[in-house]
Amino acid sequence: MRFVVTVRSVCNSATLPLITPFHGFTQELQRLEHDNYIHMLKKLRQGADAARRDDTSKLKSLVADWVNRELKPNPAVDPEDKYHRGFVNDACGRLLCPTELDWSNPTIRAGIRDRADGYVVTEMSWPAFLYDKYSADQDNLEEGLFKSTLLLQAFKAIFTSPSSAKEVAGDGDGANIIENNRRAMREFHLGKKVKTHVAQIIKMRNVTPRSIAYVSCQLRFALSSVTSWRSVDGDFDYVPFWQHIVDFFERPPGRIAQRKVDQLLAWWTRKVFGTSRRAELTDGQRANMSVNALARQRAQQDDNMFDSE
């Protein structure tokens, strides 16, 4: 059942919102008899677990390679060894470090590794790997958040193929996934064999907050020293971490925050799927474009005529 790829989630509450691409599915699920309903939920959970395992396995070696290429640690991060990642590894520790702490400070590094008072790492801190250039402005913590190269690479590796993760510097010009999807669909209808990816299978055309949250959890796990998936890693709980990210996008405190969220999601969609920037246009920019300007001029002509009469 290829549906498993749509149920990537770290907790039960995340499952239902991720299955919306299948129109009418939730209604059908609710009409099932109780036993069949429970059986279907069990199958969905098994599918979600299988999908998560696939993604975890995929990122294990890829993340090591990306970290080695970008940060050039010495010694390099072993693509097959998870035991020597996490805070015992300087490169992984820098990326996992709470953004309010300075990993370059030996006292702080020792405190984090010893889980000393004042240095306990929980899901209540944004880790550095979420930020552009892996560093945050403490006076403007929103700047650069969810714009890291590693996070973008991990997203593309999971949803649009590991090879597409190599192209993250531009705006998706070299890998217009939507156009590739259309080409693949045409070839499919012509009877040609085509290789599909997760985003194409689930008809994902825009990056969503919950997909970013899911990939953030997967990336953190790949950087950690934990060898098998569990929702709690020491003092860090993945479930509220996932929820904090979802809330950042889905519960902005006001119009300005909402506008920034819309722009950030548009940036993500452009980076992953192509070059369109129309969602980033402000109301003022749209108003000054010639179609709207002409509409105002024509309306003004009628107003002037009315006033002269």
Side-chain angles (χ1 to χ4, degrees):
M1 190 177 185
R2 202 62 186 90
F3 177 78
V4 299
V5 297
T6 71
V7 205
R8 287 170 155 79
S9 155
V10 294
C11 60
N12 289 330
S13 63
T15 302
L16 193 58
L18 283 175
I19 64 177
T20 52
F22 288 78
H23 302 296
F25 180 83
T26 53
Q27 291 83 353
E28 287 295 323
L29 196 64
Q30 292 167 358
R31 283 195 286 267
L32 293 174
E33 295 292 332
H34 178 73
D35 289 346
N36 291 334
Y37 177 81
I38 297 301
H39 177 72
M40 180 59 73
L41 288 182
K42 182 179 179 181
K43 289 294 186 182
L44 289 174
R45 174 49 50 198
Q46 290 173 345
D49 291 342
R52 189 189 63 235
R53 285 194 297 270
D54 286 347
D55 296 335
T56 298
S57 176
K58 182 187 301 180
L59 289 185
K60 179 180 177 181
S61 58
L62 285 174
V63 168
D65 181 56
W66 298 334
V67 171
N68 290 335
R69 288 174 181 271
E70 186 170 3
L71 301 185
K72 298 177 174 56
N74 185 21
V77 178
D78 189 331
E80 300 302 324
D81 180 17
K82 283 275 285 173
Y83 290 103
H84 293 91
R85 298 189 191 184
F87 291 111
V88 300
N89 180 285
D90 276 342
C92 293
R94 171 190 167 187
L95 295 166
L96 292 168
C97 183
T99 190
E100 63 267 27
L101 299 177
D102 181 5
W103 180 256
S104 65
N105 186 320
T107 302
I108 292 177
R109 286 202 304 271
I112 290 175
R113 287 167 175 164
D114 293 339
R115 296 166 70 182
D117 289 344
Y119 303 108
V120 176
V121 178
T122 76
E123 70 283 351
M124 291 303 297
S125 295
W126 294 119
F129 72 79
L130 293 177
Y131 280 88
D132 183 30
K133 297 181 175 60
Y134 316 115
S135 179
D137 179 353
Q138 295 304 304
D139 295 322
N140 185 8
L141 288 169
E142 191 171 0
E143 181 67 28
L145 182 59
F146 302 116
K147 281 193 169 184
S148 84
T149 298
L150 276 178
L151 187 60
L152 182 58
Q153 286 176 308
F155 191 102
K156 297 184 78 169
I158 289 174
F159 285 100
T160 63
S161 81
S163 61
S164 70
K166 298 175 183 177
E167 302 183 40
V168 295
D171 285 341
D173 296 6
N176 191 325
I177 304 299
I178 293 178
E179 179 55 36
N180 290 346
N181 290 350
R182 292 170 180 155
R183 187 182 304 113
M185 189 60 66
R186 289 194 297 268
E187 292 177 353
F188 174 79
H189 288 307
L190 292 173
K192 299 180 180 180
K193 290 184 177 180
V194 293
K195 188 174 182 180
T196 57
H197 51 70
V198 171
Q200 182 176 346
I201 293 169
I202 65 175
K203 296 180 173 61
M204 176 190 280
R205 294 180 176 85
N206 299 286
V207 175
T208 64
R210 295 174 184 233
S211 59
I212 295 174
Y214 171 75
V215 174
S216 298
C217 291
Q218 281 283 2
L219 179 53
R220 190 194 186 278
F221 179 79
L223 292 167
S224 76
S225 59
V226 178
T227 57
S228 59
W229 177 264
R230 55 176 179 261
S231 61
V232 178
D233 173 11
D235 302 300
F236 188 96
D237 191 328
Y238 281 93
V239 175
F241 178 61
W242 182 92
Q243 192 63 58
H244 293 329
I245 297 173
V246 171
D247 288 346
F248 171 87
F249 286 97
E250 296 186 358
R251 301 180 65 182
R255 287 183 297 178
I256 294 176
Q258 181 65 63
R259 188 179 304 118
K260 289 182 178 180
V261 163
D262 292 342
Q263 291 172 346
L264 179 57
L265 288 173
W267 178 90
W268 265 95
T269 296
R270 189 174 77 251
K271 285 288 188 179
V272 174
F273 292 112
T275 59
S276 175
R277 300 190 63 180
R278 61 182 299 129
E280 298 178 59
L281 295 174
T282 65
D283 291 341
Q285 289 172 323
R286 293 174 189 272
N288 288 329
M289 291 181 173
S290 55
V291 169
N292 289 326
L294 174 57
R296 289 196 305 272
Q297 291 170 5
R298 297 177 74 189
Q300 187 63 45
Q301 289 173 359
D302 281 348
D303 291 343
N304 293 341
M305 178 69 70
F306 179 81
D307 292 340
S308 64
E309 294 176 351

